[in-house]
Every structure is written in structure tokens, then in C-alpha cells.
Amino acid sequence: MENAKIAKIRNFGIVAHIDAGKTTTTERILFYTGMTHKIGEVHDGAAVMDFMKQEQERGITISSAAITVNWKNNQFNIIDTPGHIDFTLEVERSLRVLDGIVMVFCAVGGVEPQSETVWHQADEHKVPRISFINKMDRLGSDIHGTVEAMNEMLGANAILFQLPIGSEDSFRGIIDLVRMKAYTYQDLEVTEIPIPEELVKEAEKYRDLLVEKVSDFDEELMEKYLEGSAISEEDIIKAARHAVLNLCITPVFVGSAFKNKGVRLLLDAVSDYLPSPLDRGIVNGVDVKDAELHLSRKPEISGPTAALAFKITNDPYVGQQTFVRVYSGEIKSGTYVFNPVKGRRERIGRIYRIHAKDRQEVDSLVAGDIGALIGMKYTTTGDTLCCEDKPIILESITYPDTVLDMSVAPQNKKDREKLSVALGKIALEDPSFKVHYDEETDETVISGMGELHLEVIVDRLKTEYKLEVEVGAPKVGYRESITREAEGEQRYKKQTGGKGQFAHILFRIEPNPGEGLVFENHVKGGNIPREYIPAVESEFFRVAANGIFAEYPMVDVKFVLIDGSYHAVDSSEMAFRSCTRIALREIIHKAAPQLLEPLMKLEINCPDEYMGDVIGDVNKRRGNIDKMRRHRKGSQKLSGNVPLKEMFGYASALRTITSGRANFSMEFNKYTPVPKDVEKEILDSLKENK
């Protein structure tokens, strides 16, 4: 009985490039499932899923929104995710807890930059997917070109499960190739009709192609196909579902969400092809005391509780909401759960099913459910919640590095504490946002994923927290590292009248490309007592995090503690900390330090006639274009890399160069050495500002 309930659940996300129509598609889903009685439009700022003021003003999704709806006896837990690269963490943490996704492509734009990024994120999480080619009514729509691009650029093995009736202005309906039925649309009404005579041969051709491709993954269907036996829609659905769950194919559905065409058939496809929690099977984790001991939990309501907190929001009416995906067992309001990451018990005050900005209180969430808990005091994004007698730590969520810094200060000094509290709440909600206080400059510094990310956060401070703030110009989040090995010796001795301080270390620092900061202890024979080694280690990490030669966080350096000595009376943890700090500052220049800057992966959709000017401008910005491919007729997709430092204000520059006809996206690629002349300029600027 409990399996039958879980089998009816579909946890899926709507994901795509910005402006492909994700939120519009989700708004139609809410309407057709009876969740809303009026269709909200993104361009009117009235979309239910885009309920933040910043989303409504910009017409884009910023925060992933969760909603629960019902469709033909199935429970759909849907997450509408952002399409802008600055909010990629929202996609990452959504993919971590979803069982499947609907990938939306624009029929005109095809496979766009963020589509590729999200697709590869879904590959990493092994999330099954179906696709919806939206905007079939738009001028320049090209279903076959989009499918070809999906196969070429994403390796999607995309297969048409539907064909459009007409295209662009004449797009009026859809042919279902599985059921061999046709549907036409008039406003909100859908009518089943015979397949138009002029499209029968094409429909038969593509159905045969569909069966041929799907039969590769199902022996029974292959046998029927080769024997020429009758093949039912149930045969195709069963075989295709198996292929989707095993990431072998991507079924392609078509429509125009804005014109109310194809969304109901898409909902049927979600039921038919995307997995239930049972299909996704067990979730893996590790033992609380031994990270080498692997554990697992089955999707069973009667099993031990295991849930993952994947998002935190602050609601003005109910306070902090902790969004969780329950993998096993049951979570009930008024009871306790255990957070093994924090080692704390948490009492669940209330439980809600979320309907975007509205909510419905429920008594419990069971295996497969997604909902929000009220009353969590210690739990943060990525933490596990489980039962105390059978603890498990589920795989957490990885956060991308920030690439842009900006100083922020309240206009009224009395609001300093209020600003600190507000920034703390935002950082709790969004782990890709960081905040720290710079003692030397007496500034509060916020760090994020890009200009739009920080712009939205500053806007939230003003609107949600009623804080008038002043912001400094955006600053690039540089890193520092070393290029050669260096050995050193440091003796720290201080006499202050009473007990003195003594520490002595021999050490080596060396480049550690791609491996981060690493500490190794090679001390033998107790020359440095064991209790002082952690002081050396923690001071290395602390100094490296604050920067040594340019005050930027250090990366990819190994510190090897070789030997040393101590004094029975004067040595202490504090002495070894001081000794390590001085040693690092004195040796850094022997190790040939270098400054690293964020290099961004840049993609530009550019009309042919502007290509020379656009490439020339990228070259002036110390960037390079290394790949060009046909985007659509009269347009190329340019791909390359460019330093973030050179990209401030690029949107305006590109509009000017191309008369507003080109668009671009960029995402963090890697850190790369700064040219020496630019490094000197940056270091000189730092000295001047001290």
C-alpha cells in the first residue's frame, strides 16, 4: 500500500536557459491542475512562481520556487529554477533532491549557454529528463534544428514523441506519435481530431523512427518491431520509460506555453516517463562516526527517517522555512529529528506543503515528499535530518566559489547591527553568497556569483529589510598562490618579564595545483609535542584564507611541517601560532607568489555582420574566442574565455556594438595567473587604498 502511494509521486524541476519559458510553462501547469484559477504572466509581474519583488521587476526567476499539485491522481512536487548563471546554486541544490527534470528549450534559440550548463549539472547527478520545445509559435522556430543541436551539443539522443501541426504564426496543434492522435487548440480549449491528411505520412515516418530507436532498449519491443507485429501505445510507453530512467533517451515534446498549447500533454508525459521515488531507489550516505562506512536508505515510509535540507528561506509570517526532501521514513509535526552534521536534536513545530508564496499545513511528510519545516534552529543547507537511533549523513550540496566582491555600508551608522543581521539571514538562505568584515579597511564586504547576484541582494536589503545602504564598486575576487617550492626555518622567542614564549619550526611550502590547501606533518621523535601540531596547522589555514602577499585567499598550496623544537616552560599553542604566522609572511616571496584571477567562460550569440567587431572587442578585453558554430541562419555562437576584471559593463558595450541584436552569457571557468603588468597595477592599487 505504501509503495503504491510513493509510486504516484513525481519530484521534478522545470529547468532551462533564461527566457526559454520555464516560469510561463509552470504557470500553465498550476492553472491546468486547478492550483490557480487565473493564469499569471511573467511580463505582467503576476507569475505565482516569481513572487519575489526582484523577480517581478526583472521578469526573471531568481530563487527556486517549490509547489505541490495533483494531476490525474499523481502528486507532482515541482521546482521552477532560475535560468541566469548568477543563480546556478539554485539549480544545483534543486537537482540534488529532484528525481527528474523537464528541460525547456526555445524553438528559436535552440540549445543556449545555460541549457548546456544545466544539462551537464543534471548529468553529474544522473537525473532522468524529458524535453519540451517551447515557443513553436515564434518567428524562426525550428523543431528539427533544435533536436539536431540537442544531439550534437548535449549528446541527448533526443527523439521526437510529438510533431507540430503548422509552425510560427500557423502553429495550431500537436500530433502525439505514441498514440497517433492529433490535438488542436483554441484559447484554453483542446480538441482531439484525426491526423491531418497532409501530415499522415510524416507522422507514420516519425512514429516508425520513434519505435525503432526505443526498441534498442527493450527486447520485447525489438522482437515485435522486427516481426512486424502490432505495437501498442502501452508497449512504447513501457520501453521508453525504461530508457528514460536509465538516461538512454530524451523524449521531445512540443508546444507554446504562452499560447496554452501542449502543456496538458506535457503533464501526461511527466506521469508516463519521469521516475517516482521508487524508481530512483535507494539513497546513499555515510556513518556519523566513520565516513568510510557507507550506508543506504530505501524509499519506504516504514523505514528509518532520512531527509536532506536543501533550501532555507525567511518568511515574514512564519519565520524560517527549511525545505526538505524526505528519502525514507516519516517526519511528523511536534516531534524531534536528529541533525548528525550539527550533532543536535531539532523540534519540528509545523510542516507545510508549499504552493509558491502560499502554504498548506500538514501533519507529516513521508518518503518521497518535499515540504517545508518550521522551527529548525541549527539546520543549514545541505544538512541531513534523521532518527537519532539510526543516524546517517547524506551527501551534501557543493557550493560554487564567489567571483565578485562589493563593499556595503548603512547610510545611518545606527543601522550597522541591523545590516549585519540582514546579511546573516541572506547568507543562510543562499550559500553562494558570502559576507565578511575587513578590519583593515573597516568595511563589510559581500561576495557573490556576478553583478546581477549582488544587485539583487542590495535590492533585497532596501525592500525587505528597509535598509538604506551605500555600495562600493564591484571588485574581482582574486586568489593568490605560489609557483615554486621554498624551505624555511622560523624561531620565535619573546620574553615579557614573566613566562616567555618560544616556538621553533622547520617547514616547506610547495605548489599544489588543483588540490587546494593541504597540511602535512612530518615531525618525528616528538621534537614538537603532538598538542602543538594542530596550532601550526590551523594557523596555516587561517593565514592562507586571509592572504599572505596580496590579501586575497590563497589556493593550491601545501605546507609541510618538517621538524622543530620547543621549550618545556615557554612553549604554548599561542607561541606556535605566532611562529607559523611570521614564518609564512617571511617565506612567501621566496616561493614566487602570483595573483590568480577568475577566467570566465563566455558565449555570445552574434549576427554574422557584427562578428569582426565583437571578436575584436573580446580580444581588447584580454579574452579569446576559440570556437564558432552556426547558431541559426545569419547568426553564430561564439565561445571563449575572458577575465572577469574586463567584463564590467559588457552588456551595454555589446548592445552598442551590435545595435542590441547580440546576447551573451558567462560563467566561472577557472582561476588563471594574472599577467605581470596587470598584477603590478592591482598590487599598486592595494597599497594606495591602505
Side-chain angles (χ1 to χ4, degrees), residues 430-503:
D430 179 2
S432 68
F433 167 70
K434 302 283 190 294
V435 57
H436 74 274
Y437 179 69
D438 189 321
E439 292 183 4
E440 288 198 13
T441 61
D442 192 29
E443 286 181 327
T444 298
V445 179
I446 58 176
S447 307
M449 301 302 298
E451 287 183 274
L452 180 61
H453 188 195
L454 294 182
E455 177 192 316
V456 166
I457 282 164
V458 170
D459 199 20
R460 287 186 63 190
L461 291 173
K462 293 175 181 177
T463 55
E464 288 178 37
Y465 297 96
K466 310 301 181 206
L467 280 164
E468 287 303 318
V469 294
E470 296 173 347
V471 297
K475 298 174 186 174
V476 176
Y478 294 103
R479 298 291 184 267
E480 54 185 73
S481 193
I482 58 175
T483 57
R484 67 171 176 244
E485 188 179 297
E487 284 199 9
E489 180 176 4
Q490 186 66 45
R491 191 179 297 271
Y492 177 70
K493 191 173 182 182
K494 196 172 183 183
Q495 209 66 42
T496 54
K499 181 183 173 184
Q501 293 186 54
F502 179 85

Side-chain angles (χ1 to χ4, degrees), residues 159 161 176-180 207-208 210-212 214-215 218 221 224 231-244 249 272-273:
I159 302 171
F161 275 51
D176 181 339
L177 297 173
V178 175
R179 297 171 176 85
M180 286 304 277
R207 187 184 201 263
D208 193 56
L210 162 61
V211 174
E212 180 189 337
V214 170
S215 65
D218 187 280
L221 186 61
K224 285 187 177 182
I231 293 172
S232 68
E233 62 183 74
E234 288 78 15
D235 291 331
I236 298 173
I237 291 171
K238 174 176 167 287
R241 179 179 178 79
H242 172 75
V244 170
I249 66 169
D272 289 339
Y273 304 112

Side-chain angles (χ1 to χ4, degrees), residues 89-90 93 381 399-400 402 426-434:
L89 173 69
E90 293 291 334
R93 61 180 169 188
T381 300
Y399 311 133
T402 58
I426 294 172
L428 188 65
E429 291 177 23
D430 179 2
S432 68
F433 167 70
K434 302 283 190 294

Side-chain angles (χ1 to χ4, degrees), residues 199-258:
L199 294 174
V200 169
K201 282 192 176 179
E202 187 182 6
E204 288 173 348
K205 169 190 164 186
Y206 278 99
R207 187 184 201 263
D208 193 56
L209 187 62
L210 162 61
V211 174
E212 180 189 337
K213 287 188 173 182
V214 170
S215 65
D216 286 342
F217 309 100
D218 187 280
E219 288 184 12
E220 286 181 34
L221 186 61
M222 174 68 81
E223 203 173 303
K224 285 187 177 182
Y225 178 70
L226 293 175
E227 290 174 354
S229 304
I231 293 172
S232 68
E233 62 183 74
E234 288 78 15
D235 291 331
I236 298 173
I237 291 171
K238 174 176 167 287
R241 179 179 178 79
H242 172 75
V244 170
L245 299 190
N246 287 281
L247 307 178
C248 299
I249 66 169
T250 306
V252 176
F253 304 91
V254 302
S256 168
F258 183 61

Side-chain angles (χ1 to χ4, degrees), residues 559-681:
F559 182 103
V560 181
L561 183 59
I562 301 169
D563 204 352
S565 62
Y566 75 105
H567 188 278
V569 176
D570 292 346
S571 287
S572 64
E573 282 190 18
M574 185 184 294
F576 274 94
R577 283 182 184 278
S578 299
C579 183
T580 304
R581 182 169 62 253
I582 295 165
L584 284 166
R585 286 176 180 163
E586 291 195 358
I587 200 174
I588 190 66
H589 293 290
K590 293 181 186 175
Q594 67 176 2
L595 208 56
L596 306 175
E597 64 181 342
L599 189 70
M600 310 302 285
K601 178 183 169 188
L602 176 69
E603 294 212 358
I604 308 168
N605 295 328
C606 177
D608 289 343
E609 60 263 41
Y610 298 109
M611 275 181 49
D613 291 338
V614 169
I615 293 172
D617 182 65
V618 171
N619 290 338
K620 284 180 194 170
R621 295 171 186 270
R622 296 194 286 121
N624 70 290
I625 298 296
D626 53 27
K627 195 186 296 180
M628 289 184 279
R629 59 176 178 262
R630 178 65 56 192
H631 177 50
R632 55 179 181 264
K633 190 174 180 183
S635 176
Q636 296 277 350
K637 187 187 288 287
L638 311 177
S639 304
N641 293 286
V642 64
L644 176 62
K645 179 180 186 292
E646 311 297 337
M647 292 302 284
F648 295 135
Y650 184 64
S652 299
L654 185 64
R655 273 197 301 270
T656 302
I657 293 169
T658 65
S659 301
R661 292 177 58 198
N663 60 68
F664 80 102
S665 73
M666 65 179 183
E667 62 180 292
F668 174 72
N669 183 5
K670 62 182 179 180
Y671 281 98
T672 187
V674 175
K676 287 299 174 187
D677 57 329
V678 180
E679 182 181 286
K680 184 177 183 304
E681 182 187 310

